[in-house]
Structure formats: C-alpha cells, structure tokens
Amino acid sequence: AGIAGRSDPCVPLHLPPKDAVRIEEMVNYFSYDYPAPEGDAPFATHVGVSDSPWVEGTQIVHIGLQGMLPDERPPMNLVFLVDTSGSMNSADKLPLLKSAFRLLVERMTEKDTISIVTYAGNAGVALPATRGDQKSKLYEAIGRMQAGGSTAGARGIELAYQIAQEQFDAEANNRVILATDGDFNVGAS
C-alpha cells in the first residue's frame, strides 16, 4: 500500500533543494582502481555499458582513464605560476589552490622538481627549484602565499618561463602551470 491518495509511493512529494544534490558523491560511488596502461602507452581506457535502472530502453556508459602510476612516470619538472593578487582572496580561489598543491606535493618524489613563481603587483620566486621529497620546504612555500595587490601577470609569465628554461630537463616532463582567475590589470594583458 502506498501513501493515501498517491499511486506511486516511490515518487517524492517534492524535489530536494538544488544544493542538497552533490554530484561528487555520486561520482565517488564508483571504483576507480583501473589497471595501469601497458607498455609505453600514457594511459589506458576502460569502458563499460549497462542498462539504465531509471529509464527503460536506455543505457549508461562509464568511461574510465588510468594514467601511468607514480613509480612508472617520468620525473616531473614543474614551475607553478600562481596569481596572488587581491582578486584571488576568496575561499574558492587561492585557499582552494593551496589545498590542491598540498595534495600534489604528497605525490612528488626525489625525482621531481618544483618551483613556484607568484605575481601580484610584481612577480617573484616564492620557491626556487626544490626536489619533491623536500616536503617541508614545499609546504612552507605554499603556506606563505597570500592574496593582495594588483595583477602583473605578464611579468609572472616571463619569470616562470625563464625559470623553466633554466631548469629544463630533457628526461623529465617539463611544465609551467598557471593558476589564476584570469584578471590581468597591470602591464601587458
């Protein structure tokens, strides 16, 4: 028997509030322990198709990618270029970025090198090239980053690429990673 006057007791009386639907919890339901790629392949694909439990006659496609595992990957030579201008002073900008950097640092090894360039009114080196196993130095540099001032992005880009060229390693995965909200208001934009 259902609720009085209702033909389908499984249909909710009203929809939940939008902010109560947390997509990340649905995504995190699945297992992501996929096998690593074989040979020289940079990643492996894993595809599954199943019937939809919600709409008869439709299917759900689950596509998973697995990259090389940390002990199989080449050394990383990373230059982080971080916007520390005043516009980055909100919880979903610089503080969130710092949390993400800390997670990345946990995965770095002695084979990896990280440099950090910051820019606001001026650009500067917040951390010269540092091995990935020197975690306390990396965490300290991340912790020192504070938002404030204008945005001299062009000077930051020039400095980051200068450091990338100086630290270039032909055996490594060399990258300059720009983290910004995109607001350049001093110098070339």
Side-chain angles (χ1 to χ4, degrees):
I3 298 174
R6 297 193 60 206
S7 61
D8 185 350
C10 295
V11 175
L13 294 173
H14 54 81
L15 293 175
K18 269 187 170 179
D19 58 353
V21 178
R22 298 172 49 112
I23 298 300
E24 67 274 13
E25 291 177 2
M26 294 178 199
V27 170
N28 289 335
Y29 166 81
F30 296 97
S31 170
Y32 296 101
D33 191 19
Y34 303 122
E38 295 180 11
D40 292 334
F43 62 89
T45 58
H46 304 278
V47 180
V49 178
S50 61
D51 291 330
S52 170
W54 303 289
V55 181
E56 189 174 328
T58 63
Q59 296 180 314
I60 296 174
V61 177
H62 181 150
I63 301 172
L65 299 175
Q66 175 64 56
M68 290 184 273
L69 298 174
D71 59 340
E72 300 170 342
R73 67 169 171 76
M76 303 297 286
N77 186 15
L78 306 176
V79 178
F80 290 112
L81 175 55
V82 182
D83 179 349
T84 54
S85 67
S87 65
M88 294 291 286
N89 193 20
S90 68
D92 64 340
K93 293 183 181 179
L94 187 59
L96 180 61
L97 180 65
K98 289 166 64 169
S99 294
F101 279 169
R102 287 183 189 102
L103 291 173
L104 178 67
V105 165
E106 291 175 21
R107 307 283 307 234
M108 297 290 101
T109 70
E110 72 281 349
K111 300 184 314 181
D112 304 315
T113 304
I114 297 175
S115 304
I116 300 175
V117 173
T118 60
Y119 65 91
N122 290 305
V125 177
L127 180 72
T130 303
R131 282 194 348 243
D133 63 344
Q134 296 179 340
K135 300 199 185 303
S136 62
K137 285 184 182 180
L138 295 166
Y139 291 135
E140 286 173 24
I142 293 166
R144 286 191 305 266
M145 291 190 290
Q146 300 296 320
S150 55
T151 313
R155 180 62 192 124
I157 291 170
E158 291 167 356
L159 182 56
Y161 275 92
Q162 175 187 334
I163 290 173
Q165 287 176 328
E166 292 169 2
Q167 299 298 325
F168 183 80
D169 178 352
E171 302 295 318
N173 186 356
N174 297 276
R175 296 286 184 264
V176 173
I177 300 171
L178 171 61
T180 180
D181 62 359
D183 183 19
F184 287 26
N185 60 17
V186 174
S189 60

